[in-house]
Amino acid sequence: MTAIEPRSTKPVLMTVDDDPGVSRAVARDLRRRYGQDHRIVRAESGRDALDALRELTLRGEPVAAILADYRMPEMNGIEFLEQAMDIAPHARRALLTAYADTDAAIQAINLVDVDHYLLKPWDPPEEKLYPVVDALVETWRAVGQRPIDEIRVVGHRWSAECFSARDFLARNSVPYRYYSIDEPEGARLLEAAGAGPDDVPVLITTDGTALRSPTDAQIAAACGLTTDPVSDFYDLIVIGGGPAGLGSAVYGASEGLRTVLVERHATGGQAGQSSRIENYLGFPDGVSGAQLTDRARRQAAKFGAEVLTARDVVGLEARGSARVVRFGDGSEIAAHSVVLATGVSYRSLEAPGVADLTGRGVFYGSAATEAPACRGEDVYIVGGANSAGQAAVFFAKHAATVTLVVRGPSLEASMSSYLIKQIETIDNITVRTGCQVVEAHGDDHLQSVTLRQGETTESVKAGSMFVFIGAAPRTEWLDGFVQRDERGFIPTGPDLVVEGKRPPGWTLDRDPYHLEASVPGVFVAGDVRADSVKRVASAVGEGAMAVTLVHRYLAEQ
């Protein structure tokens, strides 16, 4: 049994390793760096560690982080962390593993939401151990072990408006609890709010305020998300909160620019909806889009960037040296420079019945909020790129069957090989190539789809369908201001100089910079840029590079 000292208010760092020498060494290194502000608890077996966690929980002591060895008798590190999550759900988790166990550990980590893994030996700790623990502690402090104030959402599963509200809350990391109007508690809350079935969704805030069929902007305001800018003039306005926009916001604010990021729905973009991104540099065990987005958003805020949510940008114009952004409500803000990082949206599936059932069984993107409701159902994923593959792997953990409907002849042309291999190992995923959805059927929700594969057409039962078919930029609001190509993407830099001639209306005695649009001081990063590489890493890189070019532009003014 692990000995627990008298009750302390210091957050606990726990280390679990069956090798006494290793256990003492980890505790020693942790104590040297963190002992003043944290209490170090060590255990030499998973069972002892679970007992210690239960005692700490009963005494109300916060557990900030747990470092567990992967290879232990009776209970390995993954098995231990699975049970530890139930006892100390707020604690951050890391796995200690030998080099020989790395592949097995990475595969197993997919089963548990582990933040990091560490290779043994970790000498020197200043380079290998402490940066990991610093990240664990920082993340824990951002969430802490405070009671979570949840917004209550009352609605109906097959209401598109209810899905939209829950999706908005989830993608903005706002805790909420959902109640169906068909359940006694949901009916009670609906009555208490003085609302009826036609008013759903009904959101009940932590102070008891009831909102009937609220807009995204009303939800954002009720949740404490920032919707109004502090100033009316900035050095840099970033439009779009995906990886490219977040990259620009982080680098702009960290380099001293007064920076504001404006997002229409929720930060993260398409990447924020990915269940697990496994080929992003620095995350060998993968990271969910939500985790990556949350870290980037907190990083931007740390450096002083403002993040405005649920603000619809409808116009951009030049007034002298200022670049003015107009919002849908008629208000506006201005800046010396702008980065357009609006990304792309999934194309609509043009088949009879799909539009009527969107939000009621048919969804665009991964819609992770629907995963629990898919348990035992037959789920269809439409698309053959990485986002569709990631969704298939994610929903396979919940659904009875997952069918990947791919229009092309194979996955190899559009999906990363690591993801193809992963899909091949999952028994309840079926891949149908040369196949397409030609119709969706259902009364108040999706019930079946019609598939066409070659000359064969068949109708199959479907509980939910998630669509990932290509991408289209939302740039109509820029028409007449910056050049766009025939598909709506924005060309930049050298692509704007044709036969030695700069774009019409160009006012500077130089060619546009590499990421600069046809209007000086307006830069483009990420998927919305013409001929960009559609990867998270390249989007972040372009966001950072755009800020470097912003500095160069500002120096000219």
Side-chain angles (χ1 to χ4, degrees), residues 352-353 356-357 360 439-449 462:
D356 292 338
L357 295 171
R360 298 186 290 133
E439 191 168 358
H441 312 273
D443 296 326
D444 63 338
H445 66 278
L446 179 70
Q447 294 171 310
S448 65
V449 295

Side-chain angles (χ1 to χ4, degrees), residues 244-255:
L246 288 167
S248 289
V250 167
Y251 280 91
S254 68
E255 294 173 10

Side-chain angles (χ1 to χ4, degrees), residues 357-379:
L357 295 171
T358 298
R360 298 186 290 133
V362 176
F363 308 97
Y364 288 88
S366 64
T369 53
E370 293 300 302
C374 291
R375 189 168 301 280
E377 291 187 346
D378 298 312
V379 169

Side-chain angles (χ1 to χ4, degrees), residues 58-229:
L58 289 173
R59 290 160 51 162
E61 296 192 44
V63 180
I66 305 169
L67 286 74
D69 184 42
Y70 174 66
R71 184 175 291 189
M72 294 188 294
E74 298 183 5
M75 179 188 301
N76 67 34
I78 294 294
E79 293 167 340
F80 160 70
L81 288 173
E82 281 188 295
Q83 296 187 45
M85 288 171 63
D86 295 331
I87 302 172
H90 299 281
R92 311 319 299 179
R93 298 167 290 278
L95 198 67
L96 295 169
T97 179
Y99 183 80
D101 296 324
T102 301
D103 289 343
I106 291 174
Q107 293 174 13
I109 282 170
N110 291 326
L111 303 174
V112 183
D113 190 14
V114 173
D115 298 279
H116 294 276
Y117 81 88
L118 274 165
L119 286 177
K120 297 190 293 184
W122 56 87
D123 291 329
E126 289 77 11
E127 295 181 11
K128 298 181 179 180
L129 176 64
Y130 296 155
V132 169
V133 178
D134 285 347
L136 295 173
V137 171
E138 180 184 351
T139 302
W140 178 82
R141 283 176 178 163
V143 179
Q145 199 159 318
R146 303 179 299 275
I148 298 177
D149 293 326
E150 294 179 324
I151 284 181
R152 288 169 289 179
V153 180
V154 184
H156 191 284
R157 182 188 174 189
W158 302 121
S159 162
E161 294 77 15
C162 291
F163 163 73
S164 178
R166 291 187 290 124
D167 186 60
F168 180 85
L169 292 170
R171 293 182 61 189
N172 282 286
S173 301
V174 177
Y176 75 92
R177 186 177 296 275
Y178 173 69
Y179 298 90
S180 170
I181 59 174
D182 298 324
E183 300 172 354
E185 182 63 13
R188 186 190 68 79
L189 289 171
L190 204 64
E191 182 181 359
D198 294 336
D199 296 318
V200 297
V202 173
L203 272 68
I204 302 171
T205 65
T206 55
D207 64 1
T209 302
L211 304 176
R212 305 181 187 182
S213 302
T215 64
D216 284 354
Q218 291 172 324
I219 297 173
C223 298
L225 299 174
T226 303
T227 57
D228 297 316

Side-chain angles (χ1 to χ4, degrees), residues 229-251:
V230 172
S231 175
D232 57 6
F233 198 90
Y234 295 84
D235 294 318
L236 172 63
I237 298 173
V238 181
I239 304 176
L246 288 167
S248 289
V250 167
Y251 280 91

Side-chain angles (χ1 to χ4, degrees), residues 303-351:
F303 289 121
E306 292 179 43
V307 178
L308 307 183
T309 305
R311 296 305 301 263
D312 194 17
V313 176
V314 298
L316 178 60
E317 62 182 84
R319 296 180 190 167
S321 62
R323 303 293 176 258
V324 181
V325 170
R326 298 197 311 274
F327 296 121
D329 63 359
S331 62
E332 59 184 37
I333 55 175
H336 293 299
S337 59
V338 170
V339 172
L340 298 173
T342 51
V344 292
S345 300
Y346 291 114
R347 294 186 185 277
S348 299
L349 177 59
E350 300 298 336

